[in-house]
Amino acid sequence: MTYFEYVLRLRGFALRMLDQKQQDLNKAIWAFELNAYDKNGKPLVKKATDLFDYEREVNQVLGNGQENERVSELEARKRAADKLQRILNERRNSNNGIREHHSKTESK
């Protein structure tokens, strides 16, 4: 291992330790918020998902739901483009047939 790689590993370790401290702080804050009550004695947070909805965040990162809409929109556009291309090809072929017929009748 070179000196440069060693320094990079030390920095990576230090950053990982900072991340761990941040996570510990977040856990402590969440524990406090989950057990907090208002003046009337009602809990401020009814469910843990009120603070952080893991499933929603995962779906947002992965694009579930929205991604399916985008894919279906792209597929619809592709089908429309294919249909338009077929129509254009048919018109070109029919126009070529008219031109050929027209050129044959003029040559006679």
Side-chain angles (χ1 to χ4, degrees), residues 49-81:
T49 56
D50 293 343
L51 291 175
F52 182 74
D53 189 354
Y54 180 77
E55 293 297 325
R56 186 185 73 214
E57 295 296 325
V58 168
N59 288 334
Q60 187 175 4
V61 168
L62 297 178
N64 293 345
Q66 295 172 354
E67 187 67 27
N68 293 337
E69 292 173 11
R70 285 187 225 144
V71 168
S72 62
E73 183 180 338
L74 289 174
E75 289 173 351
R77 287 183 181 188
K78 184 179 183 317
R79 285 192 303 269

Side-chain angles (χ1 to χ4, degrees), residues 32-102:
F32 177 76
E33 288 179 358
L34 284 173
N35 295 320
Y37 293 92
D38 64 5
K39 293 179 183 178
N40 299 326
K42 294 182 183 177
L44 293 176
V45 179
K46 295 187 184 353
K47 299 180 287 185
T49 56
D50 293 343
L51 291 175
F52 182 74
D53 189 354
Y54 180 77
E55 293 297 325
R56 186 185 73 214
E57 295 296 325
V58 168
N59 288 334
Q60 187 175 4
V61 168
L62 297 178
N64 293 345
Q66 295 172 354
E67 187 67 27
N68 293 337
E69 292 173 11
R70 285 187 225 144
V71 168
S72 62
E73 183 180 338
L74 289 174
E75 289 173 351
R77 287 183 181 188
K78 184 179 183 317
R79 285 192 303 269
D82 291 343
K83 184 177 180 179
L84 181 61
Q85 188 64 43
R86 280 194 309 272
I87 291 170
L88 289 174
N89 288 339
E90 289 172 2
R91 287 187 181 176
R92 285 183 189 143
N93 291 338
S94 65
N95 286 340
N96 286 339
I98 292 172
R99 288 185 191 138
E100 289 173 8
H101 177 69
H102 184 65

